[in-house]
Amino acid sequence: TLITLSILMRPVNLISKSLHRMAECDISENAILATYAKRKDDLGDIAFASDTLLTSLRAILITLQECSMSMKEKADNMTESSANLFDCMMENIATTEQLSASLEDVNMSTVYVNNEIESIHKTITSTVELVNSSNQASKTMLDDMQKMKEVYQ
């Protein structure tokens, strides 16, 4: 009976370990979840939901990386624009009209950067909400796994 119980609990233990990996922010591919996700029972449902959650978390990470790269590109462009603006101001300081045009460029750049920052902020806020939701789902799954473990013991 101990061997039978051990065999029956093996999938629960493996899925539980996978969920603990997720709780520790390990969102790498997980063959265990993928394997058990094919089952047509409650463990299969939990494994499928967990595997889907991992896929979503990886997509969120990719989105964050893309946003980070975009921010870096924008910062580089802004740095280059600032350098060009400085050179232009040094060459054209004699005329108020040229200075005014340069200041308008700076203002437009600032508005553009502000809009980009707001957009990034919204993306990050949305991502944080998704991560929080995912954490809650993970916590619920872990609680369910613990209850299942207690039932089978």
Side-chain angles (χ1 to χ4, degrees):
T1 58
L2 185 58
I3 294 172
T4 303
L5 184 58
S6 176
I7 292 170
L8 289 175
M9 289 304 296
R10 187 173 195 285
V12 172
N13 290 334
L14 290 173
I15 292 171
S16 179
K17 285 178 185 177
S18 295
L19 291 172
H20 283 286
R21 281 178 48 199
M22 279 187 353
E24 293 171 359
C25 297
D26 180 355
I27 60 170
S28 58
E29 291 286 332
N30 192 317
I32 292 170
L33 290 178
T35 299
Y36 285 106
K38 298 172 187 169
R39 290 175 58 141
K40 301 294 183 201
D41 59 9
D42 290 340
L43 288 177
D45 290 344
I46 291 170
F48 179 78
S50 298
D51 195 42
T52 302
L53 176 61
L54 279 175
T55 301
S56 295
L57 289 173
R58 282 191 294 275
I60 290 168
L61 181 61
I62 288 169
T63 300
L64 283 173
Q65 289 170 335
E66 289 171 352
C67 287
S68 177
M69 291 300 294
S70 176
M71 281 178 54
K72 184 185 179 322
E73 290 174 10
K74 301 283 189 237
D76 290 345
N77 289 342
M78 199 163 100
T79 300
E80 185 179 331
S81 293
S82 294
N84 290 338
L85 180 60
F86 178 77
D87 291 342
C88 185
M89 284 176 52
M90 295 304 291
E91 292 173 9
N92 300 315
I93 199 161
T95 63
T96 305
E97 185 175 317
Q98 290 170 338
L99 179 60
S100 176
S102 295
L103 291 175
E104 288 177 17
D105 288 343
V106 170
N107 186 44
M108 288 174 26
S109 294
T110 303
V111 169
Y112 177 73
V113 169
N114 186 45
N115 290 340
E116 288 296 320
I117 289 171
E118 287 178 13
S119 174
I120 291 167
H121 175 73
K122 288 177 184 176
T123 301
I124 289 172
T125 300
S126 173
T127 302
V128 167
E129 291 172 2
L130 286 171
V131 168
N132 287 338
S133 174
S134 298
N135 283 342
Q136 184 59 39
S138 293
K139 192 183 273 186
T140 301
M141 282 189 259
L142 285 171
D143 290 344
D144 290 345
M145 291 296 293
Q146 184 62 35
K147 289 176 186 174
M148 287 176 65
K149 191 174 182 180
E150 291 171 7
V151 167
Y152 286 108
Q153 286 181 347

